[in-house]
Amino acid sequence: MIAEPAAPPPANCPRRRHATMEALASALREPWTLLCLLLLAGFLFVAFFAGMVAGDPLAINPAQRLKPPSAQFPWGTDHLGRDVFARAMHGTRMSLAVGASVALLSAIPGVAIGIFAAMSRLGGALVMRIIDAMMAIPAVLLAVALAALLQPGLTTIIIAITIPEIPRMVRLVRAVVLSVRQQPYVDAAIASGTRGPTLVFRHILPNTLAPVIVQGTYAAASAIIAAALLSFLGVGTPPDLPNWGGMMADARRYFQQDPMLMAYPGMLLSVLVLITNILGDRLSDALDPRKSTRKI
Amino acid sequence: MLRYAATRLVAGVPTLVLVSVFIFSLIHITPGDPAILLAGDNATPAQVEAIRARLKLDLPLWQQFGLWFLDALRLDLGSSVYSGKPVTELIMQRIEPTLVLGLTTILLTILIAIPLGAYAAWRVNTFVDRLAMGFAVIGFSVPVFVIGYVLLYVFAVKWRLFPVQGYKPLSEGMFAALHSVTLPATALALVFAALIARVTRAAVLDVLGENYIRTTRAKGLSAPRILFIHALKSAGVPVVTVVGIGFATLIGGVVVTESVFNIPGIGRLTVDAITRRDYPVIQGVILFFSAALILINLLVDLTYALIDPRVRG
């Protein structure tokens, strides 16, 4: 990567934001990042227009059971004669919906609780005990149990995956806020009489954003895996919602004769998680100034 | 050291109590009446009442929790509503496959991850480094059940080197047992190793800039000696931390892997209990796994103190 000669920052633009934008722009020039973004755009396109690129994912046709690929069914049919290609394309929707929702829904309470835990001494200690206890329950088990106990549906899956994700976000935000509080500019703000909400919203919250965005990306990736896992184990997913984990669960019985039934959804799932994780890594490199200098 | 261990052990107790409160409320606050569910569709109100009384569901919630908690302290986690067997007995019956699978996984992970991460750091920014880190990203991106089926297809269905499913107990011999867990343990280890290789690389990279490492190079020590004797000793703390954090992921992975490979361990017990809504078993198994996790984190803390004397003070 060739370092661009840095343009002098415009007088009215704060230096820090300029450096962040510069780092993001240079990350964008890397071919791998671009490829990942393009692939992600492809997944988004498929999710929005699944109905147009593929046929009906729910139509059952017992006469056409377990058929090999044909012009009508590009990826063949499953044990109920359903169109595997259509199911796989429509399955993109659930994965993306769960990934995005979990990232967002775990970030909001995570940031709020994390800042509280770092700013309040007594309340903070209490909150962290509860967070520690929550983290002692293996996340997958907690998600599986929650999904099994609530009414099956997309909301249930999102709730079941978000709840175990929140403690991680809280810990991260708390650690960031604790270190930001040590910075001279926070001392200066306090010394000049800044208190309460102004201190938090003007000086502390903006500094938590970069790590929260990175963690949110990783959270989305692990949420996509978790959602597939719940459907694979058969908990929480309604039968009329085509999704990759459920397709893999259906394919188990026919795995030895027809491994492609398992491979299509498995491959899409792995690629989506992979590009999300790579984008998370790139974001983390671009947003963390310490990392980018250490790299050289 | 002993004093430190004792303090840490005591600090784990309130966490475990809180965990049990969570697990208990999880099942009792979520909507749906367990008694009606268990009784089935054709039950008379009297039958539902009988089940409710048997499970003590008619008591106030805090009394139910108190009873369950006191029993749990005596290692009595209640009985399965499905088979009627005590939950502790069910867990003990299923513990062997899970332990064999878990220990094999950890061994494989360490054998793969530590040398890979250390070597990538040694050859930082070269092709080897990028390859290793590329493998790492793929490793924790591909879900364990997908890796599991890929391994099953290649090694069990195509080449027939390993059994497609099932577990051979240790009583049939060490080799038979290890043979039956090789594929599931590899699937799990690839995920776990990816995580640890990344952290090992970062930690070793930090250490390699230190003066004492330059001294070892100046003395002309071999690369493996510098990496494994000198660098890894200081790089150990973050690596051990991630091994500890990774255990939570590993426990989740065990549950899935046992389902994919049809291994009759505690993971299968959990999934079966959840699909049957066998509440005492669900509570018991989650409590068991959480206690195991707390214990492992305690061991991780003690390992810190062992490798880094500053922690003890």
Side-chain angles (χ1 to χ4, degrees), chain A residues 136 141 148 229 252 273 277 281, chain B residues 141 149 198 256 259 274 277:
Chain A
L141 274 185
L229 188 93
R252 294 178 75 167
V273 177
N277 272 329
D281 282 355
Chain B
S141 294
Y149 278 108
R198 245 161 84 118
V256 186
S259 259
I274 282 172
R277 308 230 160 190

Side-chain angles (χ1 to χ4, degrees), chain A residues 129-142 144-152 218 225 228-229 232-235 245 248 252 255-256 259 262 265-267 269-270 273-275 277-278 281 294-296, chain B residues 11 14-15 18-19 22-23 26-27 30-31 125 137-138 140-146 149-150 152-153 157 164-165 198 206 248 251-253 255-256 259-261 270-271 274-275 277 279 282 285-286 289-290 293-294:
Chain A
R129 288 256 66 138
I130 296 175
I131 292 295
D132 283 346
M134 275 181 83
M135 288 194 78
I137 307 175
V140 170
L141 274 185
L142 187 54
V144 170
L146 276 170
L149 294 169
L150 299 168
Q151 237 10 273
Y218 293 136
I225 297 186
L229 188 93
F232 180 75
L233 294 176
V235 288
M248 292 186 68
R252 294 178 75 167
F255 175 61
Q256 300 213 26
M262 187 76 87
M267 224 137 63
L269 174 63
S270 307
V273 177
L274 184 65
I275 59 177
N277 272 329
I278 294 178
D281 282 355
R294 204 189 297 157
K295 228 178 172 182
I296 300 165
Chain B
T15 312
L18 262 179
V19 166
F22 284 154
I23 296 172
L26 177 76
I27 286 177
T30 43
N125 284 339
V137 179
I138 294 175
F140 62 71
S141 294
V142 183
V144 63
F145 52 102
V146 176
Y149 278 108
V150 172
L152 262 182
Y153 184 72
V157 176
V164 175
Q165 282 190 325
R198 245 161 84 118
D206 268 353
I251 289 177
V255 173
V256 186
S259 259
V260 170
F261 289 89
T270 315
V271 174
I274 282 172
T275 41
R277 308 230 160 190
Y279 294 97
I282 301 177
V285 172
I286 299 183
F289 275 131
S290 305
L293 202 58
I294 291 173

Side-chain angles (χ1 to χ4, degrees), chain A residues 28 80 90 105 118 123 128 154 167 199 234 292:
Chain A
L28 263 181
L80 295 174
H90 281 83
L105 293 178
M128 287 323 285
L154 191 58
L199 184 69
S292 47

Side-chain angles (χ1 to χ4, degrees), chain B residues 219-230:
Chain B
K219 283 200 304 187
L221 294 188
S222 67
R225 214 181 149 80
I226 297 175
L227 280 177
F228 294 108
I229 309 282
H230 295 278

